[in-house]
Amino acid sequence: MPITPATATHSSSNGTAEAILLELVDEDGVTIGTAEKLAAHQPPGQLHRAFSVFLFDSRGRLLLQQRALGKYHSPGVWSNTCCGHPYPGEAPFAAAARRTYEELGVSPSLLAEAGTVRYNHPDPASGLVEQEYNHLFVGLVQTPPAPDPEEVGSTAFVTPGELRERHAADAFSAWFMTVLDAARPAIRELTGPSAGW
């Protein structure tokens, strides 16, 4: 994983990883505290700040990622380009750009805010719960992904029609359709009417 100022503060001096903290929020997205990442996802879940990124190529195709099989939450399922959690005090925009690079090896050529969505999605396979106040971002990518295999199993660029086919045939994250639908107005503005989103 590339070391950035945000990630550097989360490794101890002896090389062992410290607990990753998430920012807990109220229903309006106001920070009210922190919780350890896994604890925040234990049922019934604690409402925490998250982000979701949707990147598109020059043809208006959405970059999907298949989550690596080694991930403790929703392994092996397909999802949006990138999603994750800002560190406490980290701006969601900065976290979205950071994690997109760390997971996929790409820096968006454009990244814009696309609103927020709040949801509660239990994951039956893992027993974990996503209680998230999610900041949405849309953008453009001009370089091929170079995924970190510990984070990403595979990637694919898809049209809306190809996404419908994949969604019917493959496993997707519990939150995928919620965040996609919430981001659609910004996606349509970014990609234009001919892309079909």
Side-chain angles (χ1 to χ4, degrees):
M1 176 176 81
I3 298 297
T4 65
T7 57
T9 60
H10 295 270
S11 297
S12 66
S13 59
N14 65 6
T16 59
E18 295 178 8
I20 296 174
L21 296 179
L22 305 186
E23 200 169 78
L24 301 180
V25 299
D26 65 14
E27 293 292 337
D28 297 316
V30 177
T31 303
I32 57 171
T34 60
E36 191 277 325
K37 183 178 179 181
L38 186 56
H41 290 87
Q42 299 289 341
Q46 295 174 277
L47 184 59
H48 58 274
R49 194 175 310 284
F51 63 84
S52 289
V53 177
F54 297 85
L55 295 183
F56 296 83
D57 67 7
S58 60
R59 295 165 49 191
R61 298 179 304 166
L62 171 60
L63 175 58
L64 296 177
Q65 73 152 277
Q66 184 180 35
R67 294 167 63 84
L69 291 174
K71 294 185 81 74
Y72 76 90
H73 190 344
S74 303
V77 301
W78 288 89
S79 200
N80 48 294
T81 307
C82 181
C83 54
H85 310 94
Y87 293 127
E90 183 182 23
F93 184 93
R98 172 179 59 80
R99 284 303 290 163
T100 300
Y101 181 78
E102 289 173 355
E103 290 187 11
L104 294 159
V106 295
S107 295
S109 57
L110 170 76
L111 191 63
E113 294 182 8
T116 60
V117 63
R118 191 261 195 253
Y119 53 79
N120 175 2
H121 285 301
D123 176 35
S126 68
L128 301 175
V129 178
E130 287 290 6
Q131 283 262 26
E132 293 190 329
Y133 187 93
N134 198 306
H135 297 256
L136 308 171
F137 298 92
V138 300
L140 300 174
V141 62
Q142 296 179 318
T143 56
D148 176 350
E150 291 187 14
E151 298 286 347
V152 180
S154 187
T155 61
F157 283 97
V158 296
T159 65
E162 290 166 341
L163 176 59
R164 284 189 292 273
E165 291 173 11
R166 278 179 174 265
H167 197 260
D170 298 326
F172 274 74
S173 64
W175 61 87
F176 175 73
M177 286 308 298
T178 300
V179 293
L180 176 62
D181 287 343
R184 277 188 199 274
I187 291 170
R188 290 185 186 118
E189 187 175 333
L190 176 74
T191 60
S194 62
W197 293 102

